[in-house]
Amino acid sequence: MLGILYKSLSIKTRNPLSKMYRTHTCGELRTTDFDKEITLSGWVQTIRKFGSITFVDLRDRYGLTQLLFSESLNEKLDANPLGREFVLQVKGKVNARSNKNANIPTGDIEILVSEFSILNRSALPPFTIQDDTDGGDDIRMKYRFLDLRRNAVKKNIELRYAVNRAARNYLHQHNFIDIETPFLIKSTPEGARDFVVPSRMNPGQFYALPQSPQTFKQLLMVSGYDRYYQIVKCFRDEDLRADRQPEFTQIDCEMAFVEQEDILQMFEGMVKYIFKEVKDLDYNLPVQRMTWEDAMWNYGNDKPDIRFDMKLTNLKFPNTIFQSRKKASEVSPAGFPNAIGIEGGTGFPVFDNAETVLAIAVPGCSDYSRKQTDELIDWVKRPQIGMGGLAFIKYNVDNTLKSSFDKFFTAEKLKSLAEKCHANPGDLILILAGKEERTRKAISDLRLYMADRLGMRNPEEFKLLWVTDFPLFEYDNESNRWVARHHPFTSPKPDHIEVMINNDPSIADADNYLQHPYANIKANAYDMVLNGNEVGGGSIRIYQRDLQEKMFAALGMSREESQHKFGFLLGAFEYGAPPHGGIAYGFDRLCAIIGGSETIRDFIAFPKNNSGRDVMMDAPSTIDDKQFDELQIKLDLK
Amino acid sequence: MLGILYKSLSIKTRNPLSKMYRTHTCGELRTTDFDKEITLSGWVQTIRKFGSITFVDLRDRYGLTQLLFSESLNEKLDANPLGREFVLQVKGKVNARSNKNANIPTGDIEILVSEFSILNRSALPPFTIQDDTDGGDDIRMKYRFLDLRRNAVKKNIELRYAVNRAARNYLHQHNFIDIETPFLIKSTPEGARDFVVPSRMNPGQFYALPQSPQTFKQLLMVSGYDRYYQIVKCFRDEDLRADRQPEFTQIDCEMAFVEQEDILQMFEGMVKYIFKEVKDLDYNLPVQRMTWEDAMWNYGNDKPDIRFDMKLTNLKFPNTIFQSRKKASEVSPAGFPNAIGIEGGTGFPVFDNAETVLAIAVPGCSDYSRKQTDELIDWVKRPQIGMGGLAFIKYNVDNTLKSSFDKFFTAEKLKSLAEKCHANPGDLILILAGKEERTRKAISDLRLYMADRLGMRNPEEFKLLWVTDFPLFEYDNESNRWVARHHPFTSPKPDHIEVMINNDPSIADADNYLQHPYANIKANAYDMVLNGNEVGGGSIRIYQRDLQEKMFAALGMSREESQHKFGFLLGAFEYGAPPHGGIAYGFDRLCAIIGGSETIRDFIAFPKNNSGRDVMMDAPSTIDDKQFDELQIKLDLK
């Protein structure tokens, strides 16, 4: 569909266009313009000859306008034949159209051409410039400048700008100030790898490109700029999983004199404002909130899609992960620490021997055929999921039950199990059993997969969620130490600061790291989840030098190392650092989801492929000897 | 002066502030708020004890508020002594102030403190946080986070945001769309050096950081996004002259279906809009326009400061530089190609032997003392100027004339010379003679120096100027070839395309390169000059593949090289490239000049020093062996 424009983009050019090239755009002429003498410039979309007259659809950023070349122009047309994607300028008069086209805003008029001039010719494009193009992914990336002409891509780029504009307007209205932070900074690898830049003027030394402006925005809080934002490129040299880019954009924000509640309110307001401006959507629902433990317990992951229900039933789970669940499990009929909760045990070794048994009740699928259940079994056995198998119970509409493990279970036990899973007649109960971490991830993936199959994930429906109370630390078994789950600047929950200060971070018993007091320290951190995607994440920061030093030490950093890497920040905390916190949105992903897609590449004008290459310009590439020489580096290829 | 806020920044926070930390800012309470119970948070600016009561000025981004601690708090104050830059939270009641302070907006009120809490302490800052700080440049750069607290710096950062916001609003209103272009691109060094980034995933290959988004914005025109903009970081690895930064920000714009006139009108509109929004200045003057030749002729450089007149008199100049002046000089009494225009010659060897003789008439300085004229002579002899001497004529108010070369000139000849210089009684005529290039630059510098001495360059007066019709090529004597004066994508003036196509670019006679037809080809290029500074520059671009290839060839690039570096652009020109052109503003400089300064560093939150170092975070720095290893590079230090 041509002519999509978002509320914050205007349809009319508000400035007289060049007298030389055009008086109007191809999207703006209407019946009220009848008889006007106008000039248009644009691209030839289609050419249709009917006897002695020729119709051309002329396209520009704003729309399509039909041109009518009458017989008198045939001689000139023969001498200057038009082709698809030629750049054409025409002068003519706005006419009523006999054959109206209700699909486009200019469909009531056409231009009776009096003069035309070919501004530039075009070779035959390697694929058609249409929504349903015949071009594959590779060729469209190589000719990205042509792919960008397609309306399907253009509306994504326009949507991105509309989101950008709406975010800026909201933040401006709330007194945020855009302050640019540097791109050539210091390499302080923590977590992801830095991209580095050799310094010619300081031989042997390197800048790093920022993974985020984190430390700078905190310094700005110390400087008193109490509401900062930036829509800014960030860089991470990671092995690219599908749909990751080495350079990506963040809406990066920080506030001083705030606690978590202030930030949640401010930024759910921002996203609601964006919904309104970009999609004309009134999001009047309160934004749901959920602790990390609840998310893991009920959905198996920390960014649940809550557009649909289908919560997990925790039939069996280990003692250690959900420390605060231990008590809950004693009173909840669904959760049993060490047994599946069937009187006398199940006798089914798959359940009895598993660390974890988790189930979902999929509505309306009790009539799945053998072929369909086999499909599901194959699906969970794929390497990406990695389960050994899938158990299921069909809770038929006639109230009978049929399971894949009937020989181990009496009808009564099956009924009891189905009830524990909050299943209703018509549901298909899917059960996974195995090691906690893998099984929980698998049931979470299976839940999304089933929802996709059942069309329960409407991209035009938006559900926001805050996930809070993340663990402050994660265990890194390679180095048997703690790593920061969010980043080293995140504050523990106020109640947990004592636990952090009063315990030794070193881990004596690696197998039982979850018993270490640090495992249960929660962070003053929060993620915004939109339709099952983490679109933003942030935290209240540490602003006391001693606590920050304790954090660096907890992460295994020596005093020298923390001073070398972050001495400037520790120093700044000595000169009146205010309480502060912030958030960063993944701008590419936010745009993609608002645009109804999960592919961020579609919302980036010039994306890179999965090897980090720009195939259009062929980058990266070799550099000259002179460049090596000046930078005083050389290759050291393995 | 505290409390400066620009029109596009709001004074009130438009959102309820955190209930926990503050109900108001330190800039907003007025007499209308009497008796309100409020909470403030901020930094301790000053502490004054008067007997049993204590006054504190509390500062935040929005202003200063006076706090009154009465006797009842003395005990608590003694237990928790305050210090400068401590972060303080207070609760209290808004009171009338007996001793009003008319200098600040909150000067009519004070807070009678009922409770206070120290949120964070501060060490003694290494310099005072005041406009007239006692800190030198180096210490303020190392503690930039404290320097940024000073109001003198804060108002620059706020002005920068106001300019940013105004530019975006104007461009949005005119249908420009912000499209992000990549930062990890291909190295195509032309002119300045690229910063490069080793690619770990593509060993032996490098990305480059963009010197500008030039080729991408042109591709976007080919893609049909007819009005593009971005406020974007760019990178140049140059030896840093004073006041250059390795990373800098551009307002980068491009338009399709335009000619030069469209662009000049659009962007003088933008700068006028910025003046209005940021300075509340109505710039109603028409923006003056001047060809490059006129600028060189009348001012000696291509970015004249036209806030004052003091034009050059071209007493003598070589044949070759001002090709289109040759005829003008025959009719103008002031310009004589090969003689100073004095009947019978001057007899003064300094004039007679010089390639160029140039003069300015400085108003009101005919009474300069010997000491003062000696100062000027010393000034032109400094290495930065490099002249051998300075001749002068005092045109006294009594109509008598006195020169530094009286013995060569009769009174009559002197009078005739003074008249040629458009001098009036009271003027001091300053004359430089020597080689054309150096002398013209020197007289231009002298003109600015005299204007500075005379206070003729008011930073609060703004004069815009377009300089047009630049030479397309410059001669590079190192490689005896042409280089692009603007960049290789700039189109020649339409009339000059034939000259370019029909002549061989190679230079047979290096000494007389100015005789080559290429020397007189003019570009479809334009600079915006503000108060003697080039703040923006752009051009109409080449959009035809064959002309672009001819340009690359003219610059000495082989077909293979141009294909390797710019094949994607040449390819794009085959698929219907529209006529297009654009402009880029040096955002840092634009902000500095609007802020009444010429030092861009003052308008950058975290600038680098002249060695490209960030002294606060100590970057660039060494990197780990692991990083070298992963990138497959090593040092090769000379």
Side-chain angles (χ1 to χ4, degrees), chain A residues 366-432:
Chain A
S366 63
D367 59 353
Y368 260 33
S369 65
R370 172 70 184 263
K371 181 160 169 278
Q372 286 173 303
T373 53
D374 281 353
E375 268 171 29
L376 299 184
I377 292 167
D378 288 347
W379 192 86
V380 302
K381 286 181 166 177
R382 300 181 322 150
Q384 300 97 307
I385 307 296
M387 296 304 292
L390 172 74
F392 60 84
I393 306 170
K394 294 179 177 178
Y395 193 161
N396 297 315
V397 287
D398 63 3
N399 273 313
T400 63
L401 293 151
K402 178 86 188 94
S403 81
S404 62
F405 46 91
D406 275 355
K407 63 175 171 172
F408 297 99
F409 270 54
T410 62
E412 217 166 305
K413 280 189 178 179
L414 220 49
K415 185 92 180 183
S416 158
L417 192 59
E419 274 163 10
K420 284 186 202 313
C421 296
H422 308 288
N424 295 312
D427 288 359
L428 174 67
I429 302 169
L430 302 176
I431 309 174
L432 292 173

Side-chain angles (χ1 to χ4, degrees), chain A residues 8 10 13-15 17-18 20-22 41 43 61-62 87 119-124 145 148-149 154 160-161 164-165 168-169 172-175 178 180-184 186-187 193 196-198 200 202 205-207 216 219 222-227 233 237-239 247 249 257-259 262 266 543 568 572 574-577 579 587 608 611-613 616-618 620-621 627 629-634 636-638, chain B residues 8 10 13-15 17-18 20-22 41 43 61-62 85 87 119-124 145 148-149 154 160-161 165 168-169 172-175 178 180-184 186-187 193 196-198 200 202 205-207 216 219 222-227 233 237-239 247 249 257-259 262 266 543 568 572 574-577 579 587 608 611-613 616-617 620-621 627 629-634 636-638:
Chain A
S8 64
S10 59
T13 50
R14 297 184 196 151
N15 186 59
L17 294 157
S18 167
M20 178 160 160
Y21 283 113
R22 52 181 179 179
S41 288
W43 285 263
R61 176 180 147 199
Y62 308 91
V87 187
L119 298 175
N120 215 344
R121 287 169 209 284
S122 174
L124 189 68
F145 51 86
L148 284 165
R149 281 188 192 163
K154 187 178 67 126
R160 185 181 176 106
Y161 175 54
N164 179 322
R165 178 92 190 146
R168 287 184 189 279
N169 285 347
H172 178 77
Q173 284 161 23
H174 291 85
N175 252 9
D178 179 349
E180 293 166 66
T181 54
F183 278 69
L184 296 172
K186 181 169 179 155
S187 184
R193 262 182 228 96
V196 298
V197 183
R200 184 183 52 85
N202 302 275
Q205 301 194 338
F206 293 74
Y207 301 101
F216 290 101
L219 290 177
V222 176
S223 299
Y225 298 78
D226 59 0
R227 294 182 174 197
K233 273 283 172 79
D237 186 10
E238 289 174 356
D239 294 322
E247 52 175 306
T249 305
F257 301 116
V258 288
E259 48 186 337
D262 302 305
M266 180 64 78
Y543 66 102
F568 60 99
E574 287 188 42
Y575 293 99
F587 183 63
K608 295 192 172 51
S611 318
R613 293 199 71 81
M616 180 190 70
M617 71 181 335
D618 193 26
S621 63
Q627 288 174 290
D629 203 52
E630 288 182 334
L631 296 172
Q632 306 191 32
I633 58 168
K634 59 183 176 185
D636 185 24
L637 298 177
K638 314 294 187 247
Chain B
S8 63
S10 58
T13 50
R14 296 184 195 150
N15 187 58
L17 294 157
S18 167
M20 177 160 162
Y21 283 113
R22 52 181 178 179
S41 287
W43 285 262
R61 177 179 147 200
Y62 310 91
E85 301 305 317
V87 187
L119 298 175
N120 215 344
R121 285 169 210 285
S122 174
L124 189 69
F145 50 87
L148 283 165
R149 282 188 192 163
K154 187 180 68 128
R160 185 181 176 107
Y161 175 54
R165 177 92 190 146
R168 287 185 189 278
N169 284 348
H172 179 77
Q173 284 161 23
H174 291 86
N175 253 9
D178 179 348
E180 293 166 66
T181 53
F183 278 69
L184 297 172
K186 182 170 179 155
S187 184
R193 264 183 227 95
V196 298
V197 182
R200 184 183 52 86
N202 302 272
Q205 302 195 337
F206 293 74
Y207 301 100
F216 289 101
L219 290 178
V222 175
S223 300
Y225 298 78
D226 59 1
R227 292 181 174 198
K233 273 284 172 75
D237 186 10
E238 288 174 354
D239 293 322
E247 51 176 307
T249 305
F257 302 117
V258 288
E259 49 186 336
D262 301 305
M266 179 65 75
Y543 65 102
F568 62 98
E574 286 188 41
Y575 293 99
F587 183 62
K608 294 190 172 53
S611 317
R613 295 200 70 81
M616 179 190 71
M617 71 181 336
S621 63
Q627 289 175 289
D629 202 54
E630 288 182 332
L631 296 172
Q632 304 192 32
I633 58 169
K634 58 183 177 186
D636 184 26
L637 298 177
K638 313 294 188 248

Side-chain angles (χ1 to χ4, degrees), chain A residues 323-351:
Chain A
Q323 304 212 10
S324 58
R325 288 283 154 195
K326 282 189 215 163
K327 276 183 208 147
S329 68
E330 286 162 21
V331 291
S332 151
F336 290 85
N338 290 309
I340 199 164
I342 303 295
E343 293 280 337
T346 72
F348 182 29
V350 169
F351 291 172

Side-chain angles (χ1 to χ4, degrees), chain B residues 220-232:
Chain B
L220 288 171
M221 296 304 110
V222 175
S223 300
Y225 298 78
D226 59 1
R227 292 181 174 198
Y228 144 94
Y229 86 98
Q230 220 182 159
I231 299 185
V232 64

Side-chain angles (χ1 to χ4, degrees), chain B residues 49 52 54 69-83 86-91 113-119 121:
Chain B
K49 273 189 94 78
S52 59
T54 305
F69 293 76
S70 64
E71 197 170 356
S72 61
L73 289 167
N74 274 348
E75 201 171 323
K76 194 175 171 196
L77 271 178
D78 287 343
N80 301 277
L82 303 179
F86 275 35
V87 187
L88 188 65
Q89 183 184 27
V90 298
K91 289 184 195 299
V113 176
S114 54
E115 279 178 60
F116 73 95
S117 131
I118 295 173
L119 298 175
R121 285 169 210 285

Side-chain angles (χ1 to χ4, degrees), chain A residues 265-283:
Chain A
Q265 284 186 22
M266 180 64 78
F267 289 97
E268 62 189 54
M270 181 181 84
V271 175
K272 288 178 181 180
Y273 184 87
I274 292 171
F275 283 156
K276 180 64 184 171
E277 289 296 302
V278 177
K279 304 286 289 184
D280 200 18
L281 176 81
D282 293 295
Y283 193 98

Side-chain angles (χ1 to χ4, degrees), chain A residues 219-237:
Chain A
L219 290 177
L220 288 171
M221 294 306 108
V222 176
S223 299
Y225 298 78
D226 59 0
R227 294 182 174 197
Y228 144 93
Y229 85 99
Q230 216 181 163
I231 299 185
V232 63
K233 273 283 172 79
C234 301
F235 305 85
R236 272 174 216 178
D237 186 10

